[in-house]
Amino acid sequence: MAKKGRVFSGARPTGRQHLGNYLGAIRNYVALQDEYDCVYCIVDIHALTTVETTENLKQNTYEMTLDWLAAGIRPEETIVFVQSHVPQVMELHTYLSMVTQFGKLTDLPTFKEKVRQQPDNVNYGLLGYPVLMTADIVLYKSDVVPVGIDQAPHLEFAREIVRSFNFRYKTKVLIEPQVKHTEVLKVIGIDGKEKMSKSLDNHIELAATPAETEKRVMQMVTDPARIRRMDPGNPDICNVFSMHKLFSSADEITMVDRDCRTAALGCVDCKKLLARNLNKHLEPFRTRRAELASRSGYVEHVLNDGAKRACVIAEKTIEEVREAIQLP
Ligand code: SF4
């Protein structure tokens, strides 16, 4: 079947992925491959704007790539690569920065948020983050970028930068990417409060062992009003029940919904059932991950091959860009 165009998406090298990453992004990445030519980039340069130490960058990149591949990203058709392996992006970033107004960058809510988060490290790269992001997208002539509703303004800004460039140099060489709205599931961590994240240590890793997974599930915060075993619970406000809805059968979901409310089901048994279903769901992923990890040099090969294929597209674009600017 002919594909509809090219999709680009980037993600920071955060190491082993967790359920939140999977439900929020990776499964979309996998599904998009059926309709689009996909370019998935591990944005290590972006990571430098916020990381304090780089000693884990390589390992984190390896682990994340392994998770993507085990989850179903097909490197024979999809380009999977590391941002810094295609240096043309730095050059394009510089050109795009000349058509981006400083005031617009400082006004962006995401920049202001970062300034609040890391007041001692408000670096130049942090300010230019949206410009580098635009360079990532347009370097690969991407037609479509999958984003959740809350990220749509970022892409609108990228489109603005593209329009400024094309207007300034009277060209059509850069393509304005279109937004593809995707349903980004927000997964709450085992603390029952915050979005699942590694830094908050409220996550469940995809590659964890069955025993580790069960341990994390047993730590999940439930309906806080259900203090004793005989107290009826409210599944509507319980994160364990939210997870059942994702990983348990229809009959089990109905049973939990009913028996929690009458206290016929206790939280320990409810969590054990969830852990069992979660482990069953993750078993094929873990088997595949172990198999890929046992192939010596496989992940490195995928990333090298991805960079080569990405470089071919990038070089063509950057030549067109230099010509449009009329560089001597
Ligand atoms: S029985 Fe299950 S759904 Fe009900 S409060 Fe306990 S863990 Fe949550």
Side-chain angles (χ1 to χ4, degrees):
M1 191 181 76
K3 302 267 174 110
K4 289 184 193 165
R6 184 174 290 148
V7 154
F8 176 91
S9 190
R12 286 171 177 242
T14 49
R16 283 181 169 215
Q17 302 291 279
H18 53 67
L19 277 181
N21 301 130
Y22 176 69
L23 297 164
I26 301 173
R27 69 175 180 170
N28 274 337
Y29 281 10
V30 173
L32 282 167
Q33 297 176 114
D34 295 336
E35 289 182 66
Y36 295 90
D37 287 322
C38 296
V39 179
Y40 296 143
C41 178
I42 296 168
V43 292
D44 57 340
I45 309 171
H46 280 297
L48 299 181
T49 58
T50 53
V51 295
E52 279 157 22
T53 162
T54 52
E55 64 187 352
N56 295 326
L57 263 186
K58 275 191 184 147
Q59 188 61 23
N60 283 348
T61 300
Y62 172 88
E63 298 283 354
M64 189 160 113
T65 309
L66 197 52
D67 279 344
W68 281 7
L69 299 172
I73 300 230
R74 304 185 287 269
E76 314 78 37
E77 52 189 282
T78 291
I79 297 179
V80 183
F81 74 107
V82 177
Q83 187 183 26
S84 65
H85 293 181
V86 184
Q88 289 88 340
V89 76
M90 265 80 93
E91 184 178 341
L92 185 56
H93 165 255
T94 305
Y95 300 145
L96 294 183
S97 70
M98 313 303 176
V99 295
T100 307
Q101 296 307 306
F102 180 78
K104 290 220 166 176
L105 289 169
T106 50
D107 273 353
L108 286 175
T110 40
F111 175 67
K112 290 179 181 166
E113 179 61 24
K114 281 283 177 231
V115 172
R116 263 193 299 276
Q117 282 171 358
Q118 52 182 67
D120 299 331
N121 185 18
V122 183
N123 57 71
Y124 173 62
L126 210 53
L127 184 69
Y129 195 106
V131 186
L132 183 57
M133 190 191 86
T134 307
D136 282 323
I137 298 167
V138 298
L139 185 61
Y140 304 103
K141 301 254 171 148
S142 316
D143 305 290
V144 170
V145 178
V147 290
I149 298 273
D150 55 336
Q151 295 164 318
H154 296 195
L155 201 72
E156 194 39 60
F157 190 61
R159 287 159 55 86
E160 234 177 79
I161 296 174
V162 169
R163 285 197 293 274
S164 296
F165 180 92
N166 286 348
F167 180 76
R168 165 87 67 92
Y169 298 112
K170 299 182 182 51
T171 179
K172 290 184 177 157
V173 73
L174 297 184
I175 298 173
E176 264 186 65
Q178 303 300 316
V179 175
K180 180 170 175 64
H181 284 299
T182 50
E183 195 202 337
V184 177
L185 204 66
K186 188 174 162 193
V187 182
I188 301 298
I190 63 170
D191 57 5
K193 287 197 293 248
E194 305 286 343
K195 190 174 162 186
M196 190 174 279
S197 106
K198 223 174 210 187
S199 53
L200 295 173
D201 193 27
N202 65 358
H203 61 300
I204 299 176
E205 281 183 358
L206 300 174
T209 64
E212 285 164 351
T213 303
E214 180 167 345
K215 193 169 162 210
R216 296 295 265 182
V217 170
M218 297 315 283
Q219 290 167 347
M220 284 179 78
V221 172
T222 63
D223 170 4
R226 193 172 185 195
I227 297 160
R228 290 162 305 174
R229 169 67 182 79
M230 67 272 269
D231 294 335
N234 180 2
D236 299 332
I237 56 162
C238 177
N239 194 27
V240 177
F241 186 56
S242 308
M243 291 262 191
H244 270 298
K245 287 196 222 162
L246 295 168
F247 298 105
S248 298
S249 70
D251 285 351
E252 286 166 334
I253 295 166
T254 307
M255 181 277 288
V256 172
D257 194 12
R258 183 190 60 224
D259 291 355
C260 168
R261 292 175 201 276
T262 60
L265 176 70
C267 292
V268 170
D269 289 334
C270 184
K271 288 177 180 178
K272 278 188 178 159
L273 177 65
L274 175 63
R276 227 178 11 253
N277 291 341
L278 193 50
N279 276 327
K280 207 161 99 193
H281 190 88
L282 291 172
E283 197 183 304
F285 165 86
R286 290 170 180 157
T287 306
R288 172 117 180 102
R289 192 183 201 278
E291 195 267 310
L292 295 176
S294 72
R295 294 191 209 169
S296 173
Y298 177 69
V299 169
E300 292 79 1
H301 165 75
V302 166
L303 293 177
N304 284 339
D305 181 61
K308 270 190 210 149
R309 286 150 67 199
C311 266
V312 172
I313 308 171
E315 194 46 42
K316 188 165 180 295
T317 307
I318 209 76
E319 276 173 19
E320 290 169 4
V321 164
R322 290 183 200 131
E323 202 168 314
I325 301 174
Q326 301 187 56
L327 289 171

